[in-house]
């Protein structure tokens, strides 16, 4: 009985221990001993769940990488939209209306032309107002010839109708080349106008009198024509002895107004040339910028004509060649430089002359006119008078010469008269005045009137004087010159020291090689271009910052996402270079409406590319998040399946434990009874 009870109690204790282990771990299978099949099946399921859990973390990082890229693209798109707004605003500033806008303005008797043939047809058919819309290249006019304007015709650009031209290359332009003696534009009538155009002429002929614009008249008649707001660029072959001109005026009266820029290249080329009783009126407030590159050239060359430079005119003449002259007059010419007109002349080559009056001509510099002359090389004269000519000065003249044999005034068989209201400032390398020998038929004369003011500058020191008495210097010698130095002036003239006066004002040309009335708009365009460039730079910077854990999908990096533990399912997300160069954003400097339109086209293409790639990234994002959700659910399924194989039913095990404890207590009681029965037997003894 005791043996049976002990075995029963031992068996119950083992069951109690097993049940306690299940209650403590919560598993009914804790090792392969418990249930090999369930244990290894559950272990496999849990291992796969762990592997998928690791992949789930990788998917989460991939999602973050894509989010970084898509967030950057959203901000980058905002930058490009901002750049687009800047471009559109600039386009409004620089906008040239459509062709139909100008067709309404020229009327039925006018024409708006965009091709060389249309231009020729309009002129030849006698259209009154011909508007050049855009750039027209006449090509080689060696065989076809130039353009000939007739009576009352107007050849104009879009700027003629308002402030539309903001293109530094000039929206309305005519260009031509030639290999023959041909004038590019010929005016052969009265009351014609050439206005608001850029004219570019390149002629390769080495001989012959050629001009970009030739305005002709008839013998005995004086036609009246006008030039307004022009850019004229000429390039003539060197080596010819023939005189060439950017603008030649023959037997005609010309009114020049607005802003006129002339660039001339070649020997013996004159920016303005007047001949045969012509009249050139440089109107009030006109601005002219002249640049000559070539020997024996001149800014304004007048032969047998009258030139009037009216009040407020602002003229800048720059010569870059030997023996070049700023303003040259000859053969019974009268040049009037009126009050408050400004004339700057600089000569950088040897033998340069600021103003040359020769061949019985007269130059009158009236009171309060402002003349500044600078010569930089040998034999550079400020004002030269010869050939029985006159130079009368009542205004303000400032002359600087920089090299030897360079005089302020050089008089050769002529007469220089400095009036009582004149103010002369002289800073010369040689003597201020050179009254040279005469030809024997005329006396060289230098007159300085009482009241004239002289400023004599030497080695940085300036002495200011007022002339007390009329003074005359005559030279009748045919061999000897009268060289009048600064000290000689002080000794010969009755001078009285006076306070300094205001030096002659320099001409202020407020544009560079352009006559456009839209210069303010052009500057606005340049400023807008800088703003555009800054936005584009910020865009590139943002793209570079779109990296996540070393991967930047916007710089063509590649992202690979694995979806299962056997590496048989994955997704490759190929990045793209979204920088400005890759997107084709290459137009950053705006000089014309065309540049802005090109930038807008590039922006539209770039924004479309960003949206397309954003859509691609969004698609990949959805794929990854879908697989992420699936993997999370699969992990739960695997874990749940493993738990079903190994987890214990706590209610069942608790009941088992209670039953076992009861059985254990009963076994103990039974063992106690069996022990008492054995003791009763012992009492018999």
């Amino acid at each position: 009985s005791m043996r049976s009870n002990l075995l029963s109690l031992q068996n119950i204790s083992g069951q109690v221990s097993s049940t306690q282990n299940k209650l403590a771990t919560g598993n009914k299978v804790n090792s392969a001993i418990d249930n090999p099949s369930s244990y290894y099946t559950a272990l496999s399921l849990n291992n796969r769940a762990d592997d998928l859990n690791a992949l789930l973390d990788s998917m989460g990082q991939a999602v973050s990488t894509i989010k970084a890229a898509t967030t950057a693209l959203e901000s980058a798109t905002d930058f490009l939209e901002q750049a687009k707004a800047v471009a559109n605003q600039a386009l409004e500033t620089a906008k040239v209306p459509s062709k139909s806008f100008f067709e309404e303005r020229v009327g039925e008797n006018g024409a708006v032309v965009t091709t060389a043939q249309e231009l020729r047809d309009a002129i030849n058919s006698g259209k009154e107002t011909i508007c050049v819309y855009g750039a027209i290249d006449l090509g080689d006019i060696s065989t076809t010839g130039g353009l000939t304007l007739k009576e009352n015709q107007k050849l104009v650009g879009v700027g003629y109708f308002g402030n539309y031209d903001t293109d530094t290359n000039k929206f309305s332009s005519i260009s031509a080349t030639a290999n023959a003696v041909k004038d590019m534009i010929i005016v052969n009538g009265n009351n014609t106008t050439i206005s608001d155009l850029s004219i570019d002429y390149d002629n390769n002929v080495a001989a012959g009198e050629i001009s970009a614009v030739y305005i002709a008249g008839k013998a005995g008649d004086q036609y009246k024509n006008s030039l307004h707001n022009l850019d004229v660029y000429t390039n003539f072959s060197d080596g010819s002895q023939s005189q060439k001109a950017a603008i030649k005026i023959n037997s005609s009266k010309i009114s020049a107004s607005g802003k006129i820029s002339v660039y001339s290249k070649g020997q013996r080329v004159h920016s303005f040339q007047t001949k045969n009783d012509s009249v050139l009126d440089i109107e009030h407030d006109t601005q002219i910028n002249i640049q000559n590159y070539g020997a024996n050239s001149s800014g304004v060359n007048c032969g047998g004509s009258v030139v009037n430079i009216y009040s407020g005119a602002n003229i800048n003449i720059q010569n870059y060649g030997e023996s070049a002259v700023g303003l040259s007059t000859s053969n019974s010419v009268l040049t009037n430089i009126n009050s408050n007109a400004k004339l700057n002349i600089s000569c950088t080559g040897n033998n340069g002359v600021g103003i040359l009056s020769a061949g019985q001509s007269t130059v009158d510099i009236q009171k309060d006119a402002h003349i500044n002359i600078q010569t930089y090389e040998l034999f550079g004269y400020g004002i030269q008078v010869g050939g029985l000519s006159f130079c009368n000065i009542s205004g303000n003249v400032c002359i600087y010469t920089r090299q030897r044999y360079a005089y302020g005034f050089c008089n050769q068989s002529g007469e220089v008269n400095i009036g009582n209201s004149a103010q002369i400032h002289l800073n010369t390398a040689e003597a201020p005045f050179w009254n040279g020998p005469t030809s024997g038929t005329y006396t060289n004369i230098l007159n300085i009137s009482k009241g004239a003011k002289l400023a004599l500058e030497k080695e940085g020191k300036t002495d200011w004087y007022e002339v007390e008495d009329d003074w005359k210097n005559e030279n009748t010698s045919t061999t000897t010159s009268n060289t009048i130095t600064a000290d000689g002036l002080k000794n010969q003239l009755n001078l009285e020291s006076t306070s300094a006066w205001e030096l002659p004002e320099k001409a202020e040309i407020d544009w560079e090689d352009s006559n456009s009335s839209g210069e303010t708009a052009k500057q606005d365009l340049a400023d807008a271009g800088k703003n555009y460039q800054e936005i584009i730079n910020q865009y590139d910077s943002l793209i570079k910052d779109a990296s996540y854990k070393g991967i930047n999908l916007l710089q063509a990096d590649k992202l690979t996402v694995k979806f299962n533990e056997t590496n048989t399912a994955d997704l490759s997300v190929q990045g793209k270079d979204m920088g400005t160069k890759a997107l084709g954003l290459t137009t950053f400097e705006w000089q014309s409406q065309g540049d802005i339109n090109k930038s807008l086209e590039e922006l539209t293409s770039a924004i479309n590319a960003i949206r397309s790639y954003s859509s691609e990234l969004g698609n990949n994002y959805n794929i990854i998040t879908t697989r992420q959700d699936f993997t999370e659910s699969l992990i739960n399924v695997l874990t749940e399946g493993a738990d079903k194989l190994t987890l214990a039913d706590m209610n069942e095990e608790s009941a088992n434990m209670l039953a076992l404890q009861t059985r254990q207590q009963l076994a103990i009681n039974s063992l106690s009874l069996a022990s008492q029965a054995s003791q009763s037997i012992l009492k018999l003894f």
Side-chain angles (χ1 to χ4, degrees), residues 401-416:
T401 64
R402 292 289 182 255
Q403 298 292 337
R404 295 183 60 191
Y405 315 117
Y407 301 100
F409 289 85
C410 177
N411 190 12
Q412 297 173 311
S413 299
E415 184 173 323
V416 176

Side-chain angles (χ1 to χ4, degrees), residues 36-80:
S37 176
S38 295
Y39 176 78
Y40 286 112
T41 302
L43 182 61
S44 175
L45 294 174
N46 283 326
N47 286 340
R48 188 184 179 198
D50 291 340
D51 292 340
L52 292 176
N53 216 18
L55 292 175
L56 192 63
D57 292 338
S58 176
M59 292 180 213
Q61 295 304 303
V63 168
S64 296
T65 303
I66 293 177
K67 278 186 176 180
T70 54
T71 301
L73 285 180
E74 289 175 2
S75 299
T77 303
D78 290 341
F79 271 137
L80 295 188

Side-chain angles (χ1 to χ4, degrees), residues 503-554:
L503 292 177
E505 298 179 27
K506 289 187 177 181
E508 297 177 358
I509 304 298
D510 60 359
W511 83 102
E512 297 179 2
D513 299 332
S514 172
N515 65 57
S516 170
S517 58
E519 286 300 299
T520 300
K522 186 177 75 174
Q523 184 59 47
D524 291 342
L525 189 62
D527 293 341
K530 291 178 182 178
N531 294 336
Y532 177 83
Q533 177 72 72
E534 180 58 32
I535 294 170
I536 296 302
N537 290 341
Q538 291 299 324
Y539 169 89
D540 272 334
S541 178
L542 184 144
I543 293 300
K544 292 177 182 178
D545 291 339
S547 175
Y548 182 85
K549 293 183 68 175
I551 297 177
N552 192 337
L553 294 175
L554 305 185

Side-chain angles (χ1 to χ4, degrees), residues 176-419:
T177 59
N179 293 289
V181 181
K182 294 286 184 180
D183 298 311
M184 179 179 172
I185 298 177
I186 303 168
V187 175
N188 194 16
N190 190 25
N191 196 31
T192 62
T193 297
I194 302 176
S195 179
D196 294 277
L197 286 172
S198 176
I199 299 169
D200 192 339
Y201 188 40
D202 191 346
N203 192 300
N204 298 315
V205 176
E209 294 189 1
I210 314 164
S211 55
V213 179
Y214 177 46
I215 303 173
K218 293 182 179 179
D221 294 327
Q222 192 179 77
Y223 284 11
K224 296 179 181 179
N225 302 284
S226 64
L227 305 174
H228 180 77
N229 283 359
L230 296 177
D231 280 347
V232 182
Y233 302 86
T234 60
N235 183 18
F236 297 107
S237 294
D238 293 343
S240 169
Q241 296 299 313
S242 302
Q243 296 188 24
K244 296 168 280 289
I247 300 173
K248 182 189 293 184
I249 304 164
N250 186 18
S251 300
S252 183
K253 183 174 183 179
I254 292 295
S255 169
S257 60
K259 295 181 178 180
I260 299 177
S261 175
V262 182
Y263 175 100
S264 301
K265 185 178 180 181
Q267 294 188 31
R268 295 174 177 82
V269 178
H270 310 300
S271 295
F272 281 87
Q273 183 182 25
T274 63
K275 300 174 66 176
N276 300 329
D277 298 321
S278 295
V279 176
L280 172 60
D281 289 333
I282 300 177
E283 301 293 350
H284 302 278
D285 301 322
T286 298
Q287 295 192 51
I288 298 179
N289 189 32
I290 294 173
Q291 296 182 55
N292 286 321
Y293 293 84
N296 301 297
S297 298
S298 64
V300 180
N301 181 279
C302 308
S305 302
V306 175
V307 176
N308 296 308
I309 302 175
Y310 289 109
S311 175
N314 209 4
I315 302 173
N316 183 20
I317 301 174
Q318 298 169 308
N319 291 323
Y320 302 94
E322 293 188 356
S323 303
V325 182
L327 174 63
S328 176
T329 63
S330 63
N331 301 327
S332 302
V333 172
L334 173 62
T335 299
N336 293 312
I337 303 176
N338 286 261
S339 175
N340 293 317
K342 296 178 184 178
L343 177 61
N344 283 350
I345 299 174
S346 67
C347 301
T348 59
N350 291 339
N351 304 303
V353 179
I355 296 177
L356 173 62
S357 180
Q360 300 183 22
S361 61
T362 300
V363 175
D364 279 342
I365 301 174
Q366 298 180 8
K367 182 180 179 181
D368 294 325
H370 303 284
I371 311 295
N372 283 276
I373 300 173
Q374 292 180 313
T375 67
Y376 294 91
E377 301 297 337
L378 298 173
F379 298 101
Y381 305 143
I383 296 177
Q384 183 177 0
V385 181
L388 307 182
S389 296
F390 296 86
C391 181
N392 304 317
I393 303 173
S394 298
N396 305 324
V397 177
C398 199
I399 298 176
Y400 293 78
T401 64
R402 292 289 182 255
Q403 298 292 337
R404 295 183 60 191
Y405 315 117
Y407 301 100
F409 289 85
C410 177
N411 190 12
Q412 297 173 311
S413 299
E415 184 173 323
V416 176
N417 299 307
I418 298 177

Side-chain angles (χ1 to χ4, degrees), residues 466 550 559 629 646:
E466 183 172 331
L559 173 66
D629 293 340
T646 59

Side-chain angles (χ1 to χ4, degrees), residues 66 69-70 73 553-554 573 613-622:
I66 293 177
T70 54
L73 285 180
L553 294 175
L554 305 185
V573 181
Y613 188 53
S614 295
S615 177
E616 183 179 334
L617 287 179
N619 184 51
N620 290 327
Y621 177 87
N622 289 334

Side-chain angles (χ1 to χ4, degrees), residues 403-605:
Q403 298 292 337
R404 295 183 60 191
Y405 315 117
Y407 301 100
F409 289 85
C410 177
N411 190 12
Q412 297 173 311
S413 299
E415 184 173 323
V416 176
N417 299 307
I418 298 177
N420 57 12
S421 63
Q423 295 182 154
I424 312 296
H425 184 101
L426 297 168
N427 182 349
T428 58
E430 294 286 351
F433 294 93
W434 187 82
N435 217 10
T438 124
S439 62
T441 59
Y442 192 80
T443 301
N444 283 358
I445 299 175
L446 170 62
N447 291 316
I448 302 180
S449 300
K450 176 183 178 180
K453 294 181 179 180
L454 300 177
L456 305 177
E457 185 174 346
K458 193 77 172 177
E459 297 177 353
K461 180 184 177 184
T462 304
D463 297 321
W464 307 81
Y465 300 102
E466 183 172 331
V467 179
E468 286 294 297
D469 297 306
D470 292 340
W471 179 81
K472 175 185 267 189
N473 182 279
E474 296 185 358
N475 186 5
T476 58
S477 172
T478 58
T479 58
T480 305
S481 63
N482 293 343
T483 301
I484 306 166
T485 65
D487 291 336
L489 281 173
K490 296 175 187 177
N491 294 330
Q492 295 181 43
L493 275 71
N494 185 9
L495 301 178
E496 181 177 337
S497 296
T498 185
S499 57
W501 63 82
E502 219 176 287
L503 292 177
E505 298 179 27
K506 289 187 177 181
E508 297 177 358
I509 304 298
D510 60 359
W511 83 102
E512 297 179 2
D513 299 332
S514 172
N515 65 57
S516 170
S517 58
E519 286 300 299
T520 300
K522 186 177 75 174
Q523 184 59 47
D524 291 342
L525 189 62
D527 293 341
K530 291 178 182 178
N531 294 336
Y532 177 83
Q533 177 72 72
E534 180 58 32
I535 294 170
I536 296 302
N537 290 341
Q538 291 299 324
Y539 169 89
D540 272 334
S541 178
L542 184 144
I543 293 300
K544 292 177 182 178
D545 291 339
S547 175
Y548 182 85
K549 293 183 68 175
I551 297 177
N552 192 337
L553 294 175
L554 305 185
Q555 290 192 311
D557 290 347
K558 185 176 181 180
L559 173 66
T560 300
V561 189
K562 298 186 181 303
F563 295 135
N564 63 20
E565 70 281 9
T566 58
N567 295 332
T568 57
D570 59 24
L571 175 67
S572 291
V573 181
Q574 180 58 57
K576 288 186 178 180
D577 188 351
M578 305 304 288
T580 53
K581 289 184 179 179
L583 292 177
L585 295 173
T586 58
T587 306
F588 301 130
E589 295 184 4
W590 293 342
Q591 296 182 342
S592 68
Q593 180 186 3
D595 292 337
I596 303 174
N597 283 326
K598 188 174 181 182
S599 290
L600 284 169
E601 290 174 3
E602 293 172 354
L603 284 170
T604 300
S605 176

